[in-house]
Amino acid sequence: GNSVTQMEGPVTLSEEAFLTINCTYTATGYPSLFWYVQYPGEGLQLLLKATKADDKGSNKGFEATYRKETTSFHLEKGSVQVSDSAVYFCALSDKAAGTALIFGKGTTLSVSS
Amino acid sequence: DSGVTQTPKHLITATGQRVTLRCSPRSGDLSVYWYQQSLDQGLQFLIQYYNGEERAKGNILERFSAQQFPDLHSELNLSSLELGDSALYFCASSGYRGGDGYTFGSGTRLTVV
């Protein structure tokens, strides 16, 4: 079946540091891939997405590239800010099967000034 | 405001009781999804409705049920509550098949005492 594996957190960084959060997936079809962010006390917000291999999703300085050969969708940001502190979830959707989003367990990011 | 409205925001109830959580999807979205978020299990997909019909089931207990009404709002019913049912319950909505991702509500925090 389909699944998503994220690196375990927490990830603790200083402001302006480089961020990578690893995400790999297992899928039988050709999924769409997503990163969601959850700020404290809030629901999940879509951060970026990619719908096919080699697509790069980007938003608010965050980027992730859909790598079919390595089944990965790692999240990166060149310079994090304190306001980026949140929980980040990688997710996949098997469009052909119309199945619900499957999420990784989430990675907590804490950025200090 | 994401456009997905969940009520109530907080709920405290005793073991053995029954509660109903309500969700109004974003305008124009026909699909509604329910997720349970707990510290140990992460985000677990419970059930999906599309235009009033059940479309997919995930890890939903038999004590739980849901429905989607003609006006597209959805209700999640949790009965014979146990301490382990304490969690955040999120509703999300999307267009057909959800290939562009979901829009999440801010969740209902259920505490069973």
Side-chain angles (χ1 to χ4, degrees), chain B residues 32-68:
Chain B
V32 169
Y33 310 80
W34 287 97
Y35 283 82
Q36 179 192 59
Q37 185 180 35
S38 59
L39 281 174
D40 54 343
Q41 294 293 322
L43 269 165
Q44 296 288 314
F45 167 64
L46 296 179
I47 197 164
Q48 175 198 357
Y49 278 82
Y50 176 77
N51 202 21
E53 295 189 3
E54 183 184 301
R55 179 58 62 93
K57 261 186 176 178
N59 301 321
I60 188 166
L61 300 173
E62 286 193 10
R63 300 183 285 109
F64 297 180
S65 64
Q67 52 185 327
Q68 186 179 27

Side-chain angles (χ1 to χ4, degrees), chain A residues 79-94:
Chain A
S79 175
V80 294
Q81 305 299 312
V82 172
S83 57
D84 294 326
S85 298
V87 182
Y88 292 82
F89 292 90
C90 185
L92 75 80
S93 168
D94 187 336

Side-chain angles (χ1 to χ4, degrees), chain A residues 36 38 49 95-96 98 100-101, chain B residues 35 37 90 97 100 102 104:
Chain A
Y36 280 81
Q38 184 179 28
K49 68 179 182 183
K95 293 180 293 183
L101 276 179
Chain B
Y35 283 82
Q37 185 180 35
F90 285 107
R97 289 189 179 272
D100 290 330
Y102 303 170
F104 279 79

Side-chain angles (χ1 to χ4, degrees), chain A:
Chain A
N2 297 338
S3 66
V4 175
T5 303
Q6 283 181 245
M7 62 185 286
E8 290 192 18
V11 174
T12 304
L13 296 173
S14 297
E15 209 166 22
E16 300 183 4
F18 184 86
L19 168 71
T20 300
I21 299 178
N22 290 338
C23 171
T24 57
Y25 67 90
T26 302
T28 53
Y30 299 92
S32 292
L33 302 173
F34 306 85
W35 278 100
Y36 280 81
V37 58
Q38 184 179 28
Y39 298 102
E42 299 184 12
L44 280 73
Q45 300 174 27
L46 178 62
L47 181 59
L48 54 84
K49 68 179 182 183
T51 57
K52 62 183 187 298
D54 299 324
D55 268 2
K56 177 186 282 189
S58 61
N59 186 24
K60 300 181 181 179
F62 291 90
E63 293 183 339
T65 301
Y66 188 144
R67 302 282 188 202
K68 191 170 183 297
E69 63 275 14
T70 55
T71 61
S72 65
F73 193 55
H74 305 321
L75 182 68
E76 296 181 337
K77 187 175 185 183
S79 175
V80 294
Q81 305 299 312
V82 172
S83 57
D84 294 326
S85 298
V87 182
Y88 292 82
F89 292 90
C90 185
L92 75 80
S93 168
D94 187 336
K95 293 180 293 183
T99 55
L101 276 179
I102 296 170
F103 287 88
K105 289 191 177 297
T107 303
T108 299
L109 170 65
S110 178
V111 181
S112 58
S113 57

